[in-house]
Amino acid sequence: MNTDKDRAGVRAQAKETLLAAVRGLVLAVVVLPCGVAFLALTLLSVALVPLGVGLVTTPAVLTGVRALADARRRLAAEWCGVRIPAVYRPLPAGANPWTRTVALLGDPQVRRDALWLPVDMTAGFVTALLPAVLVFFPLQGFLVGAGLWRAYVREPGAVYWYGFVPVTGQATALGAAALGAVVLAATWRLPPRLLTAHFTLTRAMIGASHAALAERVQVLTETRRDAVDTSAAELRRIERDLHDGAQARLVAMGMDLGTIEMLVERDPAQAKKLIAQARRNSADALEELRDLVRGIHPPVLAERGLGDAVRALALRVPLATEVAVELPGRADAPVESAAYFAVNELLTNAVKHSGADRVWVDVHHTDGRLRVTVTDNGRGGAVVGAGSGLAGVERRLGTFDGVLAVSSPAGGPTMVTMEIPCVLS
Protein backbone atom coordinates (compact mmCIF):
# COMPACT_ATOMS: atom_id res chain seq x y z
CA MET A 1 0.00 0.00 0.00
CA ASN A 2 2.77 2.42 0.96
CA THR A 3 4.64 1.48 -2.20
CA ASP A 4 1.65 2.43 -4.35
CA LYS A 5 1.37 5.73 -2.53
CA ASP A 6 5.07 6.39 -2.97
CA ARG A 7 4.83 5.67 -6.70
CA ALA A 8 1.83 7.96 -7.02
CA GLY A 9 3.73 10.68 -5.17
CA VAL A 10 6.76 10.29 -7.43
CA ARG A 11 4.59 10.46 -10.55
CA ALA A 12 2.82 13.57 -9.26
CA GLN A 13 6.15 15.23 -8.45
CA ALA A 14 7.57 14.31 -11.85
CA LYS A 15 4.50 15.73 -13.58
CA GLU A 16 4.71 18.95 -11.55
CA THR A 17 8.42 19.29 -12.31
CA LEU A 18 8.00 18.73 -16.04
CA LEU A 19 5.04 21.13 -16.15
CA ALA A 20 7.06 23.81 -14.35
CA ALA A 21 9.89 23.34 -16.87
CA VAL A 22 7.58 23.71 -19.85
CA ARG A 23 5.85 26.73 -18.35
CA GLY A 24 9.18 28.32 -17.50
CA LEU A 25 10.42 27.77 -21.04
CA VAL A 26 7.27 29.34 -22.49
CA LEU A 27 7.66 32.33 -20.16
CA ALA A 28 11.33 32.73 -21.06
CA VAL A 29 10.55 32.65 -24.78
CA VAL A 30 7.82 35.28 -24.35
CA VAL A 31 9.38 37.42 -21.60
CA LEU A 32 12.53 38.57 -23.39
CA PRO A 33 11.03 39.87 -26.67
CA CYS A 34 7.93 41.36 -24.99
CA GLY A 35 10.00 43.02 -22.27
CA VAL A 36 12.47 44.53 -24.75
CA ALA A 37 9.70 45.68 -27.12
CA PHE A 38 7.53 47.31 -24.46
CA LEU A 39 10.48 48.91 -22.67
CA ALA A 40 11.74 50.43 -25.93
CA LEU A 41 8.24 51.64 -26.89
CA THR A 42 7.64 53.12 -23.44
CA LEU A 43 10.92 55.04 -23.39
CA LEU A 44 10.40 56.26 -26.96
CA SER A 45 6.80 57.35 -26.36
CA VAL A 46 7.63 59.23 -23.15
CA ALA A 47 10.57 60.93 -24.90
CA LEU A 48 8.22 62.08 -27.67
CA VAL A 49 5.65 63.61 -25.30
CA PRO A 50 7.18 67.13 -25.55
CA LEU A 51 6.83 66.91 -29.35
CA GLY A 52 3.16 65.95 -29.10
CA VAL A 53 3.54 62.55 -30.73
CA GLY A 54 3.90 60.86 -27.36
CA LEU A 55 0.49 62.18 -26.28
CA VAL A 56 -1.06 59.81 -28.79
CA THR A 57 1.29 56.83 -28.41
CA THR A 58 1.95 56.83 -24.64
CA PRO A 59 -1.61 55.89 -23.51
CA ALA A 60 -1.70 53.05 -26.03
CA VAL A 61 1.76 51.76 -25.04
CA LEU A 62 1.06 51.97 -21.30
CA THR A 63 -2.25 50.18 -21.85
CA GLY A 64 -0.26 47.40 -23.52
CA VAL A 65 2.17 47.30 -20.59
CA ARG A 66 -0.79 46.97 -18.24
CA ALA A 67 -2.21 44.13 -20.34
CA LEU A 68 1.18 42.36 -20.15
CA ALA A 69 1.30 42.82 -16.37
CA ASP A 70 -2.31 41.62 -15.98
CA ALA A 71 -1.48 38.50 -18.01
CA ARG A 72 1.45 37.78 -15.68
CA ARG A 73 -0.82 38.25 -12.66
CA ARG A 74 -3.28 35.73 -14.05
CA LEU A 75 -0.53 33.19 -14.76
CA ALA A 76 0.94 33.70 -11.27
CA ALA A 77 -2.42 32.89 -9.69
CA GLU A 78 -3.25 29.97 -12.00
CA TRP A 79 0.16 28.29 -12.12
CA CYS A 80 1.64 28.90 -8.67
CA GLY A 81 -1.13 30.38 -6.53
CA VAL A 82 0.79 33.67 -6.18
CA ARG A 83 -1.68 36.56 -5.85
CA ILE A 84 -0.41 39.88 -7.17
CA PRO A 85 -2.67 42.79 -6.13
CA ALA A 86 -3.05 45.80 -8.39
CA VAL A 87 -4.71 49.16 -7.79
CA TYR A 88 -5.07 51.28 -10.94
CA ARG A 89 -6.57 54.73 -10.78
CA PRO A 90 -9.62 55.21 -13.04
CA LEU A 91 -9.00 57.45 -16.05
CA PRO A 92 -11.13 60.58 -16.40
CA ALA A 93 -13.99 59.89 -18.80
CA GLY A 94 -13.78 61.79 -22.06
CA ALA A 95 -10.32 63.13 -21.20
CA ASN A 96 -8.14 64.63 -23.91
CA PRO A 97 -4.79 62.97 -24.83
CA TRP A 98 -2.77 65.27 -22.58
CA THR A 99 -4.97 64.53 -19.54
CA ARG A 100 -4.89 60.78 -20.23
CA THR A 101 -1.10 60.78 -20.57
CA VAL A 102 -0.58 62.78 -17.38
CA ALA A 103 -3.06 60.58 -15.49
CA LEU A 104 -1.34 57.38 -16.64
CA LEU A 105 2.17 58.63 -15.87
CA GLY A 106 0.96 59.84 -12.47
CA ASP A 107 -0.54 56.48 -11.54
CA PRO A 108 1.84 54.67 -9.12
CA GLN A 109 0.64 51.28 -10.38
CA VAL A 110 1.41 52.19 -14.00
CA ARG A 111 4.88 53.37 -12.98
CA ARG A 112 5.48 50.08 -11.15
CA ASP A 113 4.49 48.20 -14.29
CA ALA A 114 6.94 50.25 -16.38
CA LEU A 115 9.81 49.81 -13.90
CA TRP A 116 9.12 46.08 -13.85
CA LEU A 117 9.97 45.70 -17.55
CA PRO A 118 13.81 45.88 -17.29
CA VAL A 119 13.76 43.58 -14.24
CA ASP A 120 11.51 41.12 -16.04
CA MET A 121 13.74 40.93 -19.10
CA THR A 122 16.85 40.25 -16.94
CA ALA A 123 16.24 38.58 -13.58
CA GLY A 124 12.76 37.53 -14.65
CA PHE A 125 14.11 35.87 -17.77
CA VAL A 126 16.72 33.94 -15.77
CA THR A 127 14.26 32.74 -13.11
CA ALA A 128 11.81 31.66 -15.82
CA LEU A 129 14.48 29.80 -17.80
CA LEU A 130 16.11 27.97 -14.87
CA PRO A 131 13.30 25.39 -14.36
CA ALA A 132 13.61 24.37 -18.01
CA VAL A 133 17.41 24.19 -17.76
CA LEU A 134 17.31 21.96 -14.68
CA VAL A 135 15.00 19.50 -16.46
CA PHE A 136 16.23 19.56 -20.03
CA PHE A 137 19.97 19.61 -19.19
CA PRO A 138 19.83 16.11 -17.62
CA LEU A 139 17.64 14.89 -20.49
CA GLN A 140 20.34 16.01 -22.90
CA GLY A 141 22.87 14.02 -20.87
CA PHE A 142 20.72 10.90 -21.21
CA LEU A 143 20.47 11.43 -24.96
CA VAL A 144 24.22 11.91 -25.23
CA GLY A 145 24.76 8.64 -23.37
CA ALA A 146 22.24 6.91 -25.67
CA GLY A 147 24.31 7.77 -28.73
CA LEU A 148 23.63 11.43 -29.52
CA TRP A 149 27.32 12.10 -28.83
CA ARG A 150 28.08 10.91 -32.36
CA ALA A 151 26.33 13.99 -33.74
CA TYR A 152 28.77 16.19 -31.79
CA VAL A 153 31.97 14.10 -32.08
CA ARG A 154 32.23 13.55 -35.82
CA GLU A 155 35.99 13.04 -36.22
CA PRO A 156 38.82 11.54 -34.17
CA GLY A 157 40.15 13.92 -31.54
CA ALA A 158 37.00 16.04 -31.39
CA VAL A 159 35.61 16.78 -27.93
CA TYR A 160 32.11 17.77 -26.88
CA TRP A 161 31.85 19.21 -23.40
CA TYR A 162 28.76 18.26 -21.45
CA GLY A 163 29.10 20.38 -18.36
CA PHE A 164 32.60 19.51 -17.11
CA VAL A 165 32.61 16.05 -18.77
CA PRO A 166 34.62 15.86 -22.05
CA VAL A 167 32.74 13.49 -24.36
CA THR A 168 34.99 11.73 -26.89
CA GLY A 169 33.38 8.30 -27.14
CA GLN A 170 30.77 5.97 -25.71
CA ALA A 171 32.52 5.58 -22.35
CA THR A 172 32.66 9.31 -21.70
CA ALA A 173 29.15 9.65 -23.07
CA LEU A 174 27.97 7.33 -20.30
CA GLY A 175 29.78 9.63 -17.91
CA ALA A 176 27.72 12.51 -19.28
CA ALA A 177 24.56 10.47 -18.70
CA ALA A 178 25.70 9.80 -15.12
CA LEU A 179 26.23 13.54 -14.58
CA GLY A 180 22.75 14.20 -15.95
CA ALA A 181 21.31 11.64 -13.54
CA VAL A 182 23.10 13.29 -10.61
CA VAL A 183 21.85 16.75 -11.60
CA LEU A 184 18.30 15.45 -12.06
CA ALA A 185 18.33 13.64 -8.71
CA ALA A 186 19.67 16.72 -6.93
CA THR A 187 17.39 19.28 -8.51
CA TRP A 188 14.20 17.54 -9.66
CA ARG A 189 12.13 19.19 -6.91
CA LEU A 190 13.50 22.67 -7.61
CA PRO A 191 11.74 23.71 -10.89
CA PRO A 192 8.30 24.35 -9.29
CA ARG A 193 9.98 26.40 -6.56
CA LEU A 194 11.99 28.39 -9.09
CA LEU A 195 8.86 29.13 -11.10
CA THR A 196 7.22 30.34 -7.88
CA ALA A 197 10.31 32.48 -7.24
CA HIS A 198 9.83 34.05 -10.69
CA PHE A 199 6.28 35.08 -9.82
CA THR A 200 7.35 36.19 -6.34
CA LEU A 201 9.85 38.53 -8.00
CA THR A 202 7.06 39.79 -10.24
CA ARG A 203 4.87 40.44 -7.20
CA ALA A 204 7.67 42.37 -5.53
CA MET A 205 7.87 44.65 -8.59
CA ILE A 206 4.26 45.18 -9.67
CA GLY A 207 2.28 44.27 -6.55
CA ALA A 208 0.34 47.16 -5.08
CA SER A 209 1.92 48.75 -2.02
CA HIS A 210 0.31 48.62 1.41
CA ALA A 211 -0.54 52.31 1.14
CA ALA A 212 -2.33 51.78 -2.18
CA LEU A 213 -4.22 48.79 -0.78
CA ALA A 214 -5.18 50.81 2.31
CA GLU A 215 -6.43 53.59 0.06
CA ARG A 216 -8.41 51.05 -1.93
CA VAL A 217 -9.92 49.61 1.25
CA GLN A 218 -10.90 53.12 2.34
CA VAL A 219 -12.61 53.77 -0.99
CA LEU A 220 -14.46 50.46 -0.80
CA THR A 221 -15.51 51.24 2.77
CA GLU A 222 -16.87 54.62 1.74
CA THR A 223 -18.74 53.20 -1.26
CA ARG A 224 -20.19 50.42 0.90
CA ARG A 225 -21.36 52.99 3.44
CA ASP A 226 -22.91 55.05 0.65
CA ALA A 227 -24.62 51.94 -0.70
CA VAL A 228 -26.04 51.12 2.74
CA ASP A 229 -27.24 54.71 3.20
CA THR A 230 -28.80 54.71 -0.25
CA SER A 231 -30.56 51.41 0.43
CA ALA A 232 -31.86 52.70 3.77
CA ALA A 233 -33.15 55.88 2.13
CA GLU A 234 -34.80 53.83 -0.60
CA LEU A 235 -36.54 51.64 1.98
CA ARG A 236 -37.78 54.74 3.82
CA ARG A 237 -39.11 56.14 0.54
CA ILE A 238 -40.93 52.91 -0.26
CA GLU A 239 -42.42 52.79 3.24
CA ARG A 240 -43.51 56.44 2.99
CA ASP A 241 -45.05 55.96 -0.45
CA LEU A 242 -46.95 52.89 0.72
CA HIS A 243 -48.17 54.61 3.88
CA ASP A 244 -49.21 57.88 2.24
CA GLY A 245 -50.46 56.44 -1.03
CA ALA A 246 -51.73 52.94 -1.63
CA GLN A 247 -52.26 52.12 2.05
CA ALA A 248 -54.36 55.25 2.67
CA ARG A 249 -56.50 54.53 -0.39
CA LEU A 250 -57.03 50.91 0.62
CA VAL A 251 -58.07 51.99 4.13
CA ALA A 252 -60.53 54.50 2.64
CA MET A 253 -61.87 51.82 0.30
CA GLY A 254 -62.41 49.49 3.26
CA MET A 255 -64.35 52.19 5.10
CA ASP A 256 -66.46 52.86 2.00
CA LEU A 257 -67.25 49.15 1.68
CA GLY A 258 -68.36 49.07 5.31
CA THR A 259 -70.67 52.06 4.70
CA ILE A 260 -71.99 50.45 1.51
CA GLU A 261 -72.83 47.32 3.46
CA MET A 262 -75.04 49.40 5.79
CA LEU A 263 -76.64 51.52 3.02
CA VAL A 264 -77.21 48.92 0.31
CA GLU A 265 -80.81 48.22 1.44
CA ARG A 266 -81.80 51.60 2.98
CA ASP A 267 -80.28 53.97 0.44
CA PRO A 268 -79.28 52.14 -2.78
CA ALA A 269 -78.52 55.40 -4.63
CA GLN A 270 -75.97 56.49 -2.03
CA ALA A 271 -74.55 52.97 -1.96
CA LYS A 272 -73.99 53.11 -5.72
CA LYS A 273 -72.10 56.41 -5.34
CA LEU A 274 -69.85 54.88 -2.69
CA ILE A 275 -69.29 51.79 -4.87
CA ALA A 276 -68.14 54.05 -7.72
CA GLN A 277 -65.84 55.91 -5.33
CA ALA A 278 -64.43 52.61 -4.00
CA ARG A 279 -63.77 51.49 -7.58
CA ARG A 280 -61.86 54.73 -8.26
CA ASN A 281 -59.86 54.29 -5.05
CA SER A 282 -58.94 50.72 -6.01
CA ALA A 283 -57.85 51.85 -9.49
CA ASP A 284 -55.77 54.69 -8.01
CA ALA A 285 -54.20 52.33 -5.45
CA LEU A 286 -53.32 49.86 -8.19
CA GLU A 287 -51.72 52.61 -10.29
CA GLU A 288 -49.70 53.85 -7.34
CA LEU A 289 -48.50 50.31 -6.63
CA ARG A 290 -47.46 49.95 -10.26
CA ASP A 291 -45.57 53.26 -10.06
CA LEU A 292 -43.91 52.08 -6.87
CA VAL A 293 -42.80 48.81 -8.47
CA ARG A 294 -41.61 50.70 -11.52
CA GLY A 295 -39.51 52.92 -9.22
CA ILE A 296 -37.92 49.88 -7.56
CA HIS A 297 -37.12 47.92 -10.72
CA PRO A 298 -38.92 48.79 -13.95
CA PRO A 299 -40.43 45.74 -15.69
CA VAL A 300 -39.10 46.93 -19.06
CA LEU A 301 -35.58 46.91 -17.60
CA ALA A 302 -35.93 43.34 -16.36
CA GLU A 303 -37.58 42.07 -19.53
CA ARG A 304 -35.85 43.96 -22.33
CA GLY A 305 -32.61 45.35 -20.93
CA LEU A 306 -31.00 48.72 -20.43
CA GLY A 307 -31.28 49.99 -24.01
CA ASP A 308 -35.07 49.64 -24.27
CA ALA A 309 -35.52 50.87 -20.70
CA VAL A 310 -33.64 54.09 -21.52
CA ARG A 311 -35.71 54.49 -24.69
CA ALA A 312 -38.86 54.15 -22.57
CA LEU A 313 -37.52 56.83 -20.23
CA ALA A 314 -36.92 59.14 -23.18
CA LEU A 315 -40.54 58.78 -24.30
CA ARG A 316 -41.73 60.22 -20.96
CA VAL A 317 -39.36 63.21 -21.06
CA PRO A 318 -41.10 66.44 -22.21
CA LEU A 319 -38.04 67.38 -24.28
CA ALA A 320 -36.87 66.26 -27.71
CA THR A 321 -34.66 63.30 -26.76
CA GLU A 322 -32.45 61.20 -29.01
CA VAL A 323 -31.19 57.84 -27.75
CA ALA A 324 -28.32 55.86 -29.31
CA VAL A 325 -27.67 52.38 -27.91
CA GLU A 326 -24.89 49.98 -28.89
CA LEU A 327 -24.87 47.04 -26.49
CA PRO A 328 -23.99 43.57 -27.84
CA GLY A 329 -25.29 41.95 -24.64
CA ARG A 330 -26.64 42.60 -21.18
CA ALA A 331 -24.82 43.61 -18.02
CA ASP A 332 -25.61 42.22 -14.58
CA ALA A 333 -28.98 43.32 -13.19
CA PRO A 334 -27.49 45.58 -10.43
CA VAL A 335 -25.32 47.39 -12.99
CA GLU A 336 -28.27 47.87 -15.36
CA SER A 337 -30.38 49.17 -12.49
CA ALA A 338 -27.70 51.64 -11.37
CA ALA A 339 -27.23 52.93 -14.93
CA TYR A 340 -31.00 53.18 -15.51
CA PHE A 341 -31.72 55.24 -12.39
CA ALA A 342 -28.65 57.40 -13.04
CA VAL A 343 -29.98 58.22 -16.52
CA ASN A 344 -33.42 58.87 -15.00
CA GLU A 345 -31.89 61.35 -12.53
CA LEU A 346 -29.92 63.12 -15.27
CA LEU A 347 -32.97 63.45 -17.52
CA THR A 348 -34.97 64.80 -14.59
CA ASN A 349 -32.26 67.36 -13.87
CA ALA A 350 -32.23 68.39 -17.54
CA VAL A 351 -36.00 68.95 -17.49
CA LYS A 352 -36.05 70.84 -14.17
CA HIS A 353 -32.88 72.90 -14.17
CA SER A 354 -31.12 73.13 -17.53
CA GLY A 355 -33.58 75.14 -19.60
CA ALA A 356 -32.73 72.85 -22.53
CA ASP A 357 -35.03 71.93 -25.37
CA ARG A 358 -33.03 68.93 -26.59
CA VAL A 359 -31.26 65.99 -24.94
CA TRP A 360 -28.99 63.28 -26.36
CA VAL A 361 -28.37 59.95 -24.62
CA ASP A 362 -25.62 57.59 -25.79
CA VAL A 363 -25.24 54.11 -24.29
CA HIS A 364 -22.46 51.75 -25.37
CA HIS A 365 -19.92 49.25 -24.06
CA THR A 366 -16.21 49.47 -24.81
CA ASP A 367 -12.97 48.24 -23.22
CA GLY A 368 -14.85 46.35 -20.51
CA ARG A 369 -16.80 49.40 -19.38
CA LEU A 370 -20.42 50.48 -19.77
CA ARG A 371 -20.34 54.12 -20.85
CA VAL A 372 -23.43 56.35 -20.76
CA THR A 373 -23.37 59.98 -21.89
CA VAL A 374 -26.25 62.41 -21.37
CA THR A 375 -25.92 65.78 -23.14
CA ASP A 376 -28.30 68.73 -23.20
CA ASN A 377 -28.17 72.14 -24.88
CA GLY A 378 -29.20 74.04 -21.77
CA ARG A 379 -27.65 76.91 -19.85
CA GLY A 380 -24.90 74.82 -18.19
CA GLY A 381 -23.45 75.45 -14.75
CA ALA A 382 -24.11 71.96 -13.37
CA VAL A 383 -21.74 70.92 -10.58
CA VAL A 384 -21.32 67.85 -8.40
CA GLY A 385 -22.00 69.15 -4.92
CA ALA A 386 -23.32 67.93 -1.62
CA GLY A 387 -27.06 67.43 -1.78
CA SER A 388 -27.24 67.65 -5.57
CA GLY A 389 -28.70 64.96 -7.77
CA LEU A 390 -25.30 64.53 -9.42
CA ALA A 391 -23.72 63.72 -6.06
CA GLY A 392 -26.32 60.99 -5.58
CA VAL A 393 -25.54 59.60 -9.03
CA GLU A 394 -21.83 59.61 -8.21
CA ARG A 395 -22.45 57.69 -4.98
CA ARG A 396 -24.63 55.16 -6.81
CA LEU A 397 -21.93 54.57 -9.42
CA GLY A 398 -19.19 54.38 -6.79
CA THR A 399 -20.76 51.20 -5.44
CA PHE A 400 -19.70 49.53 -8.71
CA ASP A 401 -16.30 51.29 -9.03
CA GLY A 402 -17.94 53.58 -11.57
CA VAL A 403 -16.92 57.16 -12.27
CA LEU A 404 -18.84 60.31 -13.15
CA ALA A 405 -17.48 63.20 -15.23
CA VAL A 406 -19.34 66.47 -15.71
CA SER A 407 -18.59 69.11 -18.33
CA SER A 408 -20.98 72.04 -17.91
CA PRO A 409 -19.50 75.46 -18.72
CA ALA A 410 -21.64 78.56 -18.22
CA GLY A 411 -23.87 78.92 -21.23
CA GLY A 412 -23.83 75.18 -21.89
CA PRO A 413 -23.91 72.61 -23.16
CA THR A 414 -23.87 70.12 -20.30
CA MET A 415 -22.36 66.68 -20.87
CA VAL A 416 -22.41 64.08 -18.11
CA THR A 417 -20.47 60.85 -18.73
CA MET A 418 -20.75 57.74 -16.58
CA GLU A 419 -18.55 54.66 -16.75
CA ILE A 420 -19.10 51.37 -14.92
CA PRO A 421 -16.68 48.41 -15.24
CA CYS A 422 -18.68 45.35 -16.29
CA VAL A 423 -18.89 42.47 -18.76
CA LEU A 424 -21.82 41.74 -21.01
CA SER A 425 -23.44 38.35 -21.29
Side-chain angles (χ1 to χ4, degrees):
M1 183 67 67
N2 290 334
T3 303
D4 293 339
K5 290 184 178 180
D6 292 341
R7 289 175 180 173
V10 170
R11 284 196 296 269
Q13 181 64 46
K15 180 180 179 181
E16 183 181 2
T17 298
L18 183 60
L19 191 60
V22 173
R23 287 171 172 174
L25 183 61
V26 171
L27 275 177
V29 170
V30 174
V31 159
L32 193 58
C34 287
V36 172
F38 275 110
L39 179 61
L41 289 173
T42 300
L43 295 176
L44 182 61
S45 294
V46 173
L48 292 177
V49 166
L51 300 179
V53 179
L55 298 178
V56 178
T57 59
T58 299
V61 171
L62 292 180
T63 300
V65 173
R66 174 176 175 175
L68 182 65
D70 285 340
R72 194 64 58 83
R73 292 185 183 96
R74 288 193 299 271
L75 293 180
E78 293 173 4
W79 289 357
C80 295
V82 178
R83 305 291 175 179
I84 304 178
V87 179
Y88 291 96
R89 294 177 180 175
L91 291 177
N96 57 44
W98 172 258
T99 304
R100 287 177 63 86
T101 301
V102 172
L104 284 169
L105 292 177
D107 188 341
Q109 184 64 64
V110 174
R111 292 201 298 269
R112 281 192 292 269
D113 292 349
L115 293 174
W116 161 68
L117 291 174
V119 177
D120 191 47
M121 54 187 281
T122 51
F125 173 77
V126 172
T127 54
L129 187 60
L130 273 177
V133 171
L134 291 181
V135 171
F136 296 125
F137 178 76
L139 292 181
Q140 184 192 10
F142 298 152
L143 293 175
V144 168
L148 186 64
W149 63 273
R150 294 183 177 86
Y152 301 117
V153 183
R154 298 184 176 180
E155 56 186 32
V159 178
Y160 170 71
W161 287 91
Y162 176 79
F164 58 83
V165 176
V167 178
T168 58
Q170 186 60 48
T172 51
L174 293 176
L179 175 60
V182 170
V183 172
L184 183 61
T187 64
W188 78 297
R189 293 180 180 271
L190 290 181
R193 300 175 186 176
L194 290 173
L195 190 63
T196 301
H198 168 83
F199 289 121
T200 303
L201 174 65
T202 303
R203 181 175 59 188
M205 292 302 303
I206 63 175
S209 64
H210 292 295
L213 292 174
E215 180 183 357
R216 179 61 175 164
V217 170
Q218 181 179 358
V219 171
L220 291 176
T221 302
E222 292 175 356
T223 56
R224 183 182 64 180
R225 183 173 61 248
D226 290 339
V228 171
D229 293 343
T230 301
S231 299
E234 188 70 10
L235 289 174
R236 290 194 297 270
R237 181 188 70 81
I238 294 172
E239 182 182 8
R240 183 179 63 251
D241 290 347
L242 285 173
H243 182 272
D244 297 342
Q247 178 178 314
R249 293 188 184 279
L250 291 174
V251 170
M253 187 172 64
M255 296 174 62
D256 289 341
L257 290 174
T259 305
I260 291 169
E261 187 178 6
M262 292 185 295
L263 294 177
V264 67
E265 294 182 358
R266 293 186 301 161
D267 191 350
Q270 183 64 25
K272 287 181 180 180
K273 291 181 181 179
L274 291 176
I275 290 173
Q277 182 176 339
R279 185 186 300 113
R280 288 193 297 272
N281 283 337
S282 67
D284 291 342
L286 181 60
E287 185 62 28
E288 288 181 356
L289 287 174
R290 286 173 176 169
D291 291 340
L292 184 62
V293 171
R294 190 180 298 114
I296 298 172
H297 193 74
V300 66
L301 180 61
E303 296 169 3
R304 304 181 62 179
L306 181 61
D308 286 340
V310 171
R311 292 188 182 97
L313 272 180
L315 293 176
R316 299 201 297 267
V317 174
L319 300 175
T321 305
E322 296 183 15
V323 179
V325 177
E326 188 178 348
L327 296 176
R330 293 193 60 173
D332 292 338
V335 173
E336 286 191 336
S337 180
Y340 172 85
F341 286 108
V343 173
N344 186 35
E345 179 68 28
L346 295 176
L347 291 177
T348 302
N349 286 349
V351 172
K352 290 183 177 179
H353 308 299
S354 70
D357 58 14
R358 197 168 192 84
V359 181
W360 296 265
V361 182
D362 179 73
V363 183
H364 65 277
H365 186 270
T366 181
D367 296 331
R369 305 176 76 86
L370 176 66
R371 177 175 292 181
V372 182
T373 304
V374 179
T375 308
D376 67 65
N377 61 350
R379 67 175 66 93
V383 294
V384 181
S388 70
L390 292 175
V393 171
E394 188 174 45
R395 287 195 301 272
R396 184 186 292 270
L397 299 180
T399 307
F400 303 91
D401 280 345
V403 294
L404 177 76
V406 180
S407 173
S408 184
T414 295
M415 182 174 70
V416 181
T417 302
M418 302 171 289
E419 286 191 353
I420 305 176
C422 67
V423 295
L424 301 185
S425 60

